[in-house]
Amino acid sequence: MMARSRTPWSERLKIRPLSTLAMAAVWVLLWGTFSPMSIVGGLLVGYLVGVVLPMPPMFWKGRLRPWGMVRLIAHLMYDLLVSSVRVFMLAFHKKVDLRAGIIRIDLITDNDLYQVQVAEMISLVPGTVVVEVVRHPRRLYLHAIDLHGDDPIGAVQKMAVDVESRVVRAFGSKQEIDDFNAALHDHPAPDAHEMEVEA
């Protein structure tokens, strides 16, 4: 009988700054407060998750791009504000007509890290939530509300592609950015039957 390979505790107990900080950032965003207690709690949770549930190594070819990070965070804050106001206004409508539906989003990049980042950022915005993630092919299924207008599918698709673009430009390598720009022109628009709207 073959023995299962286990990560040694000496390796598990090492501090991994990047993954700990990333999980702490997600923790703070989920709580929606930047208090010292939430930051310290996020760092502790991030470290404990790395000890108890060590992740396999992830090979990342890109690099952090400061201007891309600024644009990513600024757009996220703007989307949070606009969507929060929209959901707030919907709550006070006399007639409840959410016009909600499930929309398929085909991603352009083929990268686990970018797919998770896009899904997380879309789910943080009120009014949209990722209900399923498909790895092969790279797809997200979003539940969205307030699907009105001439082309609601195209609007949601454009929003998702914009988020993916900002993620790649914040974390991607030059080659990944060039490949994204080239593939963007050939990216097919979703078909009308790819949306199921609730009555």
Side-chain angles (χ1 to χ4, degrees), residues 11 26 37 44 52 76-77 84 114 117 134 136 141 180:
E11 184 67 25
V26 172
M37 184 66 74
L44 288 175
V52 178
L76 176 61
M77 295 297 106
S84 297
Y114 300 156
Q117 287 175 319
V134 179
H136 299 295
Y141 287 89
F180 181 88

Side-chain angles (χ1 to χ4, degrees), residues 78-89:
Y78 175 79
D79 290 342
L80 285 171
L81 176 63
V82 171
S83 297
S84 297
V85 171
R86 188 182 68 176
V87 172
F88 178 80
M89 296 300 292

Side-chain angles (χ1 to χ4, degrees), residues 24 27-29 31-43:
W27 177 268
V28 170
L29 287 172
W31 279 102
T33 175
F34 293 90
S35 66
M37 184 66 74
S38 67
I39 294 172
V40 172
L43 291 171

